[in-house]
Amino acid sequence: MSAFVEDRRPVSTAGVLLAAGAGTRFAGPQHKLLAVIDGRSVVSRALESLVGASLDAVAVVTGAVDVSEALAAVSGEIALIPNARWESGIASSVRCAASWAAQQGHGAIVVGLADQPFVTSAAWQSVAAAAAPIAVGTYGDRRGNPVRLAREVWPLLPCGGDEGGRTLMRRFPEIVVPVACEGRPDDIDTVEDLRRWS
């Protein structure tokens, strides 16, 4: 039997965009998050969707590249969470997000990737509304982002490596709830990806 109990009480939920990685597969003239699709940077498009979900707070984890100018183009109150250990992998960014959320008194975080500009505000809202300890956005039969992590699972998050919530989903499948989402969880990882959508 799982030690986790589903909690139906409303909790304060923060949306967090992970934007700390180096984006080494992108061979363009600038970092992939600053590349432009339809007149807007990849990171600002992703952030606009998160802000549009109207969660209790919004934050961006930063690291390898300064995205502050791109973020300034998006209206709303946005906290910046620096990750000094960004080179250790995405898990450190999720840990930074959870630590910040704990300090702010939030009961859950909904985490998404800054290089996925086609995840919709509705997807963020749907995943945030799930009451399970872990909820994952699904697109058809494919799991993706965003992912909701309730406060009780934060101490179990890995400290390093290139997986955050996926590690917990494998360890505790009984507490994971899939949430059907609209939109596309496509990453902009390469120049070819960018051309496909430009």
Side-chain angles (χ1 to χ4, degrees):
M1 177 183 287
S2 171
F4 299 100
V5 178
E6 188 173 307
D7 189 349
R8 293 279 178 183
R9 294 173 299 174
V11 297
S12 176
T13 301
V16 182
L17 201 63
L18 306 183
T24 54
R25 291 174 55 199
F26 191 83
Q30 74 279 326
H31 192 283
K32 66 178 181 177
L33 296 183
L34 303 177
V36 174
I37 298 177
D38 294 334
R40 291 178 293 161
S41 68
V42 170
V43 65
S44 64
R45 285 179 65 107
L47 182 59
E48 284 171 0
S49 290
L50 170 52
V51 169
S54 300
L55 301 183
D56 296 309
V58 171
V60 178
V61 180
T62 61
V65 66
D66 181 5
V67 293
S68 57
E69 187 174 335
L71 301 183
V74 181
S75 60
E77 188 172 332
I78 301 157
L80 296 183
I81 307 170
N83 178 9
R85 296 183 58 243
W86 62 267
E87 290 179 285
S88 69
I90 199 169
S92 64
S93 288
V94 179
R95 275 270 182 180
C96 282
S99 177
W100 168 84
Q103 292 169 6
Q104 300 299 312
H106 299 296
I109 53 175
V110 185
V111 179
L113 303 181
D115 65 356
Q116 294 184 339
F118 310 111
V119 173
T120 66
S121 296
W124 284 97
Q125 289 172 333
S126 296
V127 173
I134 302 174
V136 56
T138 59
Y139 302 81
D141 59 358
R142 175 184 169 197
R143 285 184 171 182
N145 288 295
V147 174
R148 180 186 188 272
L149 301 166
R151 188 183 188 112
E152 59 263 36
V153 304
W154 298 349
L156 304 173
L157 287 165
C159 295
D162 284 323
E163 289 189 348
R166 274 187 293 183
T167 300
L168 297 187
M169 286 186 243
R170 281 197 302 272
R171 284 181 62 195
F172 306 104
E174 71 278 6
I175 64 169
V176 179
V177 170
V179 178
C181 292
E182 61 180 49
R184 299 182 64 95
D186 297 54
D187 300 87
I188 304 297
D189 281 331
T190 65
V191 172
E192 289 71 28
D193 293 336
L194 184 68
R195 288 181 184 140
R196 189 176 305 123
W197 293 106
S198 296

